[in-house]
Amino acid sequence: MIEFKDLTFKYADSSNTALSNISLSINDSEFILITGPSGCGKSTLCRCINGLVPSFYGGEICGSVEVQNIDALRTPTKDMAKTVGMVFQDPENQLIATDVEREIAFGLENLGLPKTIMVKRIEEVLDTVGIDHLRHRQLSTLSGGEKQKTAIASVLVLHPEILVLDEPTSELDPKGAEEVIQLVKRLNEELGLTVILVEHRIDRVLQSVDRLIVMDSSEITYDGKPRGWINLAENKLPLVGIPPITHLSVELKQKGIDTKIPLTIKEGRQIFSPILKDNKWKKPIQTHPHKSKNITSCIAKARKLWYKYPDGAVVLKDITIDIFKGEFIALIGRNASGKTTLAKLLNGLLKPSKGKVEINGIDTTRTKVENLAKCVGYVFQNPNVHLFADTVEEEITFMMNNLGFSSKMIEESLDKELKQFNLEYCRYAYPRSLSTGEKQRVALASVLAAKPQLLILDEPTRGLDYGLKKNLMNYLIEYRKNGGTVILISHDIELIAEFGERVVLMSEGKIVADGNKHQVLANSLHFSPQINRLIQPFTKYGISSDILTVEEIMQGFK
Amino acid sequence: MKLAYQDKKTPVHRLHPVCKIIWVLAVIAGSILINDPILLVLLFISTIPFVIIGKIVKEWGSFVKLTLWLSIFIAIINMLASQHGSHILYSSPMLPILGTINITLESIIFSIGMSIRLLATISAFAILTLTINPDDLLQTILLLKIPYRTVLTTSIAIRFIPCLFTDLDTLQSSLQTRGYQMAEGGFLTRIKRRAIIIPSLLSNSLERSIQSAEAMESRGFGSKGGKTFYNVIQTTRTDYFFIALSLSLFALFAIMWILRIGTYEYYPNITPIAITISYVSVALFLVLSAASPAIFSPLKKVIDLD
């Protein structure tokens, strides 16, 4: 049992409280999901359970945390290891050894256990987690999902009663994330382990958890059954990332149709069946296939493009693509399908092995990437790689100075970007001390200030909460209104279904589909969004088979 | 292709790290004490069976390729700079400041000798790097009674080096895509312009090390009571045999150096090479030592259950 009593905590270098008056009881074998916007205190709450807060971080604390009758706030983390297993966000930085078996053994070695026990426990945990086949593999050769499973095995081997996972899937691709979530569910069901999971993509787990805890501004704002929260949260739905299938029930309720709240597609089909079978749909939504536009409006084009890395791996094979001014293109595909390589070729960071890339008619092999920066802006996944200056103001003007903008233009653009991205209050702050959302706004503002005609974003939404994603997409909509072109690399199909236009699907270095989002995403086994999967059995009743979002389904509803 | 350790489960990989370290030291000692080009060639050749048995031909090839380029560069500098030797193959016209440059047969042979010396050393180092598990190396260093915390910290720091290079690459790309000219201006200006990366690089490393420290604490690092080891590398008869061979190799090179058997005069005239019994014995010895991991039945790293 975990018992928080009136816990308030403030980090040593912060003026704000990270946790305010937290009182919470968690029973043995419960599966708890904690969610909430970035910076709301979720990670701090988790770190109180194994004593990292306050013993590792330091700060001001009052109240108490008892974990299996141990005073967690006064027990060093190393002594809590046998009771609480903690898995972190980044699969790379929490691994110590070089191969899987030794990584798992690390904790047992620290506890000084005899080798006979170590051998037995390692065998057990390899089987439990299902990574026996990886036991002799080097960690550097594992995928993100396999690394996270190894991290889970390396804490499970200490036989903890509680497993705490702090955003374990935020750095993983959808397949890796799914594998980790399935494993966690199984550990809770079969071993009766208490699981506390922090997660932004709640659609993945909502149906499996016993309790949902929602946090905001260092406080717990909801603690109870997931369906109860959805009823409660319906008035402020745009702020929370509930699954589209659940969102549909809320929208229908607002139209006067009261249904149960589904958490999975299967439940959705049962609950919405009478409505979807009711032959009262407006005529199918007309989708607009992607048309070849006038070639003069082409901002970037690739012809018969091949790319081979120095180690000989061919990652792009015969790619031909035109990017037209004003388009919003989502580049999707499995990991290692060549998305990022194509993006880096489209801004000149990489040069073609064969074929040609032209940006505004300029062959990228004939100029430097620095010179193409005026036309193409590139936003990296991790906002930290954009931060070089001492203040937010300097960071935003950095690119404009590099490109030789006049001081008048810099001044005007700076004020505009600070206002647009709501960064005026932290104009003189050190960019690296900001929150994730603020850093991302600074990164985006620093690129957009130079007014590039084409903006490429490499998985900018990975690890972001729904609110931050929504804000980012609103900035992109604004950018396009001013004539900008966007290429977005993403695994987030729901987001693309909602905001994308043209979708380019890549596989093994080739473009396998290119067209309007309805053409590419609808009826796809792997890449279709929830709503599209929901409606497929009901298309014979008149509903259009290429509907992708809640908004579209509601438009067709009489 | 990865130029780091990969467990390929070969007899070379299974050899005790101490064996490989002593062997590399012996090869280095040989390449320093001997300057006879034929013996140096033998020394280089003696490392090749390890490459084949260890299944690291491709990775080792990359090291050798790099060394060959370096050797060519050194050879050209040497040929231009060294004016010794009596057989002049080419004499340049009078050049300002430099005067006449003579390229001699002796300087060419000397350059080749030095390149082979470099190749032998790099080859041995490459084998060591590609076949020692860093965790085994850590345990080996612990045998020297260096505190565990120090060794582990060093080992983690080394493991982070590739991450540091990836970070550096990404940060440079980020600067380039924002129009920052890093390669502009003179040498000092370029260094100064690149220095902008350092705070970001350090900051990323610091964040990474904090995350590592958190993960280690959460898994009981620093707990009271004795630290145990899951993998204890056992020393086998092959290891002892190999250590004995490497030490004998050491002794052989020392004796040859003292008796001036392996010394070779390049200047003013190259000495004619005569294949003597000493060459044959050295060659046999080297081939035997190189083949020893395969001769013996494959070792198994046994988990000590005591």
Side-chain angles (χ1 to χ4, degrees):
Chain A
M1 175 133 176
I2 304 168
E3 186 89 43
F4 283 74
K5 273 189 194 156
D6 296 324
L7 185 78
T8 297
F9 175 71
K10 195 162 81 172
Y11 284 102
D13 54 354
S14 170
S15 52
N16 301 323
T17 50
L19 294 173
S20 300
N21 296 314
I22 302 287
S23 289
L24 176 69
S25 287
I26 295 170
N27 295 319
D28 291 344
S29 302
E30 268 194 304
F31 188 168
I32 308 269
L33 170 65
I34 304 181
T35 194
S38 297
C40 68
K42 308 181 293 286
S43 297
T44 309
L45 186 82
C46 289
R47 280 162 174 75
C48 289
I49 300 172
N50 77 338
L52 278 170
V53 166
S55 69
F56 186 84
Y57 283 98
E60 289 171 38
I61 197 157
C62 64
S64 68
V65 180
E66 263 194 21
V67 177
Q68 310 293 43
N69 299 321
I70 304 168
D71 183 350
L73 302 184
R74 284 174 187 79
T75 310
T77 302
K78 57 192 177 201
D79 298 334
M80 293 294 294
K82 280 184 271 186
T83 313
V84 183
M86 180 110 179
V87 177
F88 299 86
Q89 189 173 344
D90 192 327
E92 194 70 48
N93 298 341
Q94 60 187 311
L95 303 177
I96 315 297
T98 50
D99 65 52
V100 172
E101 211 175 60
R102 292 186 198 211
E103 183 63 39
I104 297 171
F106 179 76
L108 299 171
E109 292 174 337
N110 289 330
L111 299 183
L113 295 178
K115 279 158 210 155
T116 41
I117 294 180
M118 282 203 242
V119 172
K120 184 173 168 280
R121 283 209 191 174
I122 289 172
E123 283 308 317
E124 282 169 359
V125 84
L126 282 168
D127 277 338
T128 310
V129 179
I131 52 168
D132 184 44
H133 59 292
L134 303 176
R135 65 188 306 156
H136 297 303
R137 284 268 298 274
Q138 296 290 294
L139 294 171
S140 57
T141 65
L142 302 183
S143 70
E146 288 170 337
K147 279 183 187 162
Q148 262 323 21
K149 283 189 194 171
T150 306
I152 292 173
S154 67
V155 297
L156 273 188
V157 79
L158 302 177
H159 287 185
E161 292 155 81
I162 299 153
L163 182 62
V164 182
L165 304 106
D166 186 9
E167 297 189 36
T169 66
S170 68
E171 301 282 323
L172 308 182
D173 63 86
K175 186 171 171 276
E178 188 58 32
E179 284 173 8
V180 169
I181 294 294
Q182 289 305 329
L183 169 65
V184 173
K185 281 183 197 169
R186 198 160 53 78
L187 292 174
N188 171 256
E189 283 165 11
E190 292 176 12
L191 304 184
L193 216 62
T194 308
V195 173
I196 297 164
L197 172 70
V198 175
E199 181 68 53
H200 284 308
R201 294 285 306 271
I202 60 173
D203 51 323
R204 291 183 182 135
V205 275
L206 211 51
Q207 69 277 17
S208 312
V209 299
D210 300 311
R211 251 167 87 186
L212 172 71
I213 292 175
V214 183
M215 292 187 71
D216 196 6
S217 310
S218 77
E219 288 175 349
I220 292 175
T221 53
Y222 179 80
D223 179 2
K225 295 278 176 199
R227 286 177 220 268
W229 173 67
I230 288 155
N231 274 330
L232 208 72
E234 65 187 64
N235 295 326
K236 45 175 183 175
L237 271 178
L239 297 175
V240 290
I242 59 167
I245 202 96
T246 315
H247 191 176
L248 181 60
S249 75
V250 178
E251 288 291 329
L252 286 169
K253 195 176 176 186
Q254 284 171 0
K255 289 257 182 188
I257 302 168
D258 217 348
T259 63
K260 281 186 187 169
I261 296 168
L263 297 178
T264 63
I265 295 176
K266 196 175 173 184
E267 279 180 16
R269 284 195 186 126
Q270 286 164 359
I271 292 169
F272 299 131
S273 174
I275 302 160
L276 294 171
K277 279 180 182 171
D278 188 357
N279 198 1
K280 283 181 186 167
W281 294 92
K282 288 180 192 170
K283 63 177 180 179
I285 291 173
Q286 289 299 307
T287 53
H288 309 285
H290 173 69
K291 289 175 195 158
S292 281
K293 296 188 180 177
N294 185 350
I295 199 74
T296 53
S297 70
C298 186
I299 186 167
K301 60 180 175 185
R303 291 286 175 272
K304 295 188 177 300
L305 182 64
W306 290 73
Y307 188 77
K308 189 164 92 171
Y309 275 104
D311 64 1
V314 181
V315 278
L316 288 187
K317 297 163 191 166
D318 201 20
I319 300 272
T320 292
I321 189 171
D322 287 315
I323 316 286
F324 299 101
K325 280 183 185 159
E327 277 192 311
F328 188 116
I329 300 176
L331 211 51
I332 62 170
R334 283 191 297 270
N335 268 11
S337 56
K339 305 183 296 291
T340 299
T341 308
L342 177 60
K344 285 186 174 173
L345 279 150
L346 286 174
N347 81 335
L349 263 176
L350 298 176
K351 308 293 179 194
S353 306
K354 248 199 296 184
K356 199 174 183 183
V357 177
E358 279 184 9
I359 311 289
N360 272 344
I362 302 165
D363 187 338
T364 57
T365 54
R366 291 171 194 271
T367 187
K368 289 197 290 183
V369 59
E370 294 90 323
N371 302 334
L372 287 168
K374 271 184 190 167
C375 311
V376 190
Y378 196 97
V379 180
F380 290 79
Q381 184 198 333
N382 179 359
N384 279 336
V385 306
H386 283 269
L387 309 177
F388 296 94
D390 291 335
T391 64
V392 169
E393 185 184 288
E394 284 175 38
E395 200 63 70
I396 293 174
T397 55
F398 178 77
M399 189 168 170
M400 292 189 278
N401 281 321
N402 294 335
L403 298 178
F405 281 43
S406 70
S407 39
K408 194 180 164 218
M409 279 169 80
I410 292 176
E411 197 66 34
E412 278 173 11
S413 200
L414 171 68
D415 288 339
K416 187 173 160 262
E417 298 303 331
L418 283 170
K419 203 171 168 188
Q420 193 197 344
F421 287 95
N422 188 24
L423 291 166
E424 284 157 312
Y425 67 96
C426 56
R427 184 177 183 143
Y428 302 109
Y430 180 53
R432 282 184 174 265
S433 67
L434 303 175
S435 73
T436 314
E438 288 165 337
K439 278 184 194 172
Q440 210 203 24
R441 280 178 359 236
V442 173
L444 202 57
S446 70
V447 176
L448 285 186
K451 299 182 178 61
Q453 296 160 348
L454 171 63
L455 183 66
I456 302 174
L457 302 101
D458 191 355
E459 300 210 33
T461 59
R462 198 187 261 192
L464 290 191
D465 66 57
Y466 186 77
L468 291 177
K469 272 191 220 174
K470 191 106 182 167
N471 286 342
L472 173 69
M473 299 320 282
N474 287 336
Y475 296 135
L476 295 181
I477 289 168
E478 192 62 32
Y479 166 70
R480 287 187 63 217
K481 274 186 195 162
N482 298 322
T485 309
V486 176
I487 298 178
L488 175 78
I489 300 175
S490 182
H491 285 295
D492 196 334
I493 298 299
E494 299 298 342
L495 193 82
I496 292 166
E498 201 175 337
F499 295 96
E501 274 181 12
R502 177 179 166 192
V503 176
V504 175
L505 171 63
M506 293 189 70
S507 175
E508 295 186 337
K510 291 179 181 168
I511 292 177
V512 291
D514 179 3
N516 180 280
K517 66 178 175 184
H518 294 96
Q519 289 174 316
V520 180
L521 300 182
N523 290 314
S524 156
L525 279 177
H526 188 68
F527 293 103
S528 59
Q530 265 196 348
I531 293 295
N532 189 259
R533 277 181 275 162
L534 168 81
I535 54 139
Q536 288 315 319
F538 304 100
T539 49
K540 55 186 175 227
Y541 300 104
I543 189 163
S544 173
S545 66
D546 58 2
I547 281 178
L548 303 177
T549 62
V550 174
E551 196 189 345
E552 285 174 4
I553 212 168
M554 293 312 292
Q555 277 172 12
F557 189 73
K558 281 180 184 171
Chain B
M1 186 178 17
K2 287 190 184 301
L3 294 183
Y5 169 80
Q6 287 177 63
D7 188 6
K8 298 197 173 175
K9 304 187 191 322
T10 68
V12 180
H13 286 78
R14 287 190 206 108
L15 268 179
H16 197 290
V18 171
C19 296
K20 283 182 262 195
I21 292 168
I22 295 177
W23 173 75
V24 168
L25 290 175
V27 173
I28 293 170
S31 64
I32 292 170
L33 297 176
I34 293 172
N35 66 352
D36 183 326
I38 299 290
L39 284 176
L40 286 170
V41 167
L42 281 177
L43 193 63
F44 172 65
I45 291 171
S46 78
T47 63
I48 294 174
F50 286 91
V51 178
I52 297 162
I53 300 163
K55 295 179 185 166
I56 48 168
V57 178
K58 267 191 178 176
E59 298 86 343
W60 173 84
S62 302
F63 280 96
V64 170
K65 215 162 125 187
L66 199 75
T67 317
L68 278 175
W69 283 111
L70 196 67
S71 300
I72 291 169
F73 177 73
I74 294 170
I76 292 170
I77 299 284
N78 183 62
M79 281 188 285
L80 296 176
S82 168
Q83 296 299 301
H84 303 293
S86 52
H87 294 82
I88 298 170
L89 299 177
Y90 171 77
S91 199
S92 78
M94 193 68 179
L95 296 169
I97 305 170
L98 299 172
T100 305
I101 291 175
N102 293 325
I103 294 178
T104 64
L105 177 68
E106 288 76 13
S107 70
I108 291 175
I109 304 286
F110 180 78
S111 301
I112 293 170
M114 291 312 101
S115 300
I116 299 165
R117 173 177 279 176
L118 191 66
L119 269 176
T121 313
I122 299 281
S123 172
F125 258 120
I127 293 163
L128 189 73
T129 315
L130 295 167
T131 63
I132 283 197
N133 184 329
D135 292 330
D136 287 345
L137 190 63
L138 188 146
Q139 277 192 33
T140 310
I141 297 169
L142 285 176
L143 295 176
L144 302 172
K145 303 285 175 206
I146 296 171
Y148 175 69
R149 267 176 189 268
T150 313
V151 178
L152 185 67
T153 313
T154 315
S155 149
I156 292 172
I158 291 168
R159 200 173 69 79
F160 277 158
I161 290 174
C163 302
L164 210 63
F165 280 108
T166 312
D167 273 1
L168 184 68
D169 191 46
T170 316
L171 289 168
Q172 278 180 345
S173 297
S174 166
L175 283 172
Q176 285 176 303
T177 57
R178 288 166 76 193
Y180 188 75
Q181 306 277 354
M182 274 185 290
E184 214 176 47
F187 181 67
L188 282 178
T189 319
R190 271 190 264 176
I191 290 181
K192 214 173 149 187
R193 288 186 74 79
R194 276 175 197 271
I196 188 175
I197 292 177
I198 294 169
S200 300
L201 199 62
L202 289 178
S203 191
N204 286 355
S205 305
L206 197 66
E207 278 171 30
R208 184 173 288 126
S209 56
I210 289 173
Q211 287 174 21
S212 266
E214 263 194 311
M216 284 164 69
E217 288 252 329
S218 303
R219 280 155 66 193
F221 181 70
S223 293
K224 283 174 197 153
K227 159 102 189 166
T228 48
F229 288 97
Y230 177 64
N231 270 28
V232 175
I233 323 160
Q234 280 199 333
T235 316
T236 61
R237 275 193 307 165
T238 311
D239 292 326
Y240 286 122
F241 171 75
F242 201 81
I243 290 172
L245 257 175
S246 299
L247 290 175
S248 317
L249 202 59
F250 237 131
L252 183 72
F253 292 138
I255 292 166
M256 286 170 70
W257 182 67
I258 293 163
L259 300 176
R260 302 187 62 77
I261 294 173
T263 49
Y264 181 82
E265 300 300 332
Y266 289 91
Y267 300 114
N269 291 307
I270 45 171
T271 331
I273 291 169
I275 304 296
T276 60
I277 189 73
S278 67
Y279 278 94
V280 179
S281 61
V282 168
L284 273 174
F285 194 85
L286 292 174
V287 169
L288 182 66
S289 69
S292 60
I295 293 167
F296 276 73
S297 60
L299 305 170
K300 285 217 167 87
K301 209 186 307 171
V302 182
I303 297 160
D304 186 4
L305 295 174
D306 296 334

